Amino acid sequence: MATRTTAGTAGTAASTTGADGAGAGESAGAGVVAGRGGGGRFTGFVRVSIALQTAAIFFQAVTAGMALTSEVGSTLHDLGSKGMYAMSMLYLLAAVLAWRPGGGPARPPLYATGFLLLGTLQVVMGVYHVMAVHLPLGVLMFGLSTLDLGRVVLQRTRPAEARTRADAGAGAGVGAGAGAGVRAPR
């Protein structure tokens, strides 16, 4: 068994690592916001799918400018729309898998469903050349997808920061002195 020590904090004890790889007081689904279930093995799939969706929407923004000046840009934008729609469906699949069999939170499938609906509206507005809706909706979708990507990426770091703050505040003032808080392995 491995132990973890926290140097520089007063009154904290070392935690042991169990068979699931999570230390005492840590959830096995590290990378989720405290108080919410993990997505199990599907959390990585969710991260990859939202990253692919955001990249596809960015590609659409680049090719939209190219579509104004060349036939190749128009073709790339058309192909990219199909890819963006496929990435939105992949994100929905990943979010549902992380929610139902994975035991994760129910909110990401709602976000993914919203992106799929926005993507559908975006494609329809593009096909009918309603640029007054198509362009601002594309900007909105990129912004929302970037925010959702940030939420998914930051979920991974929040528990570690919360544990660090909790460890720092636990037992402050107990055992103060030289080497306080540093424990030898058991």
Side-chain angles (χ1 to χ4, degrees):
M1 274 194 209
T3 59
R4 178 179 56 131
T5 60
T6 307
T9 58
T12 57
S15 67
T16 59
T17 304
D20 64 349
E26 296 177 17
S27 68
V32 295
V33 178
R36 295 189 185 162
R41 62 181 179 251
F42 296 109
T43 55
F45 186 29
V46 171
R47 286 186 184 105
V48 169
S49 63
I50 187 64
L52 287 172
Q53 175 183 283
T54 305
I57 294 172
F58 181 72
F59 178 78
Q60 285 300 94
V62 171
T63 59
M66 293 170 54
L68 297 174
T69 59
S70 72
E71 186 62 34
V72 173
S74 181
T75 303
L76 285 175
H77 192 68
D78 181 50
L79 292 173
S81 70
K82 293 164 182 61
M84 184 277 304
Y85 199 73
M87 292 306 112
S88 293
M89 286 190 277
L90 181 71
Y91 176 40
L92 179 59
L93 174 67
V96 168
L97 286 174
W99 169 50
R100 293 305 288 174
R107 193 171 286 174
L110 295 175
Y111 294 157
T113 302
F115 278 118
L116 195 56
L117 291 174
L118 286 174
T120 302
L121 180 62
Q122 178 73 346
V123 169
V124 169
M125 292 296 114
V127 167
Y128 288 108
H129 301 287
V130 183
M131 294 302 131
V133 176
H134 185 71
L135 292 174
L137 189 57
V139 172
L140 175 69
M141 286 180 66
F142 180 70
L144 290 175
S145 190
T146 303
L147 286 173
D148 199 24
L149 178 62
R151 177 191 60 83
V152 169
V153 169
L154 289 177
Q155 260 184 342
R156 179 175 247 170
T157 60
R158 283 185 193 154
E161 292 170 2
R163 280 192 305 273
T164 303
R165 283 189 297 251
D167 287 348
V174 176
V182 178
R183 306 276 191 237
R186 296 183 201 197

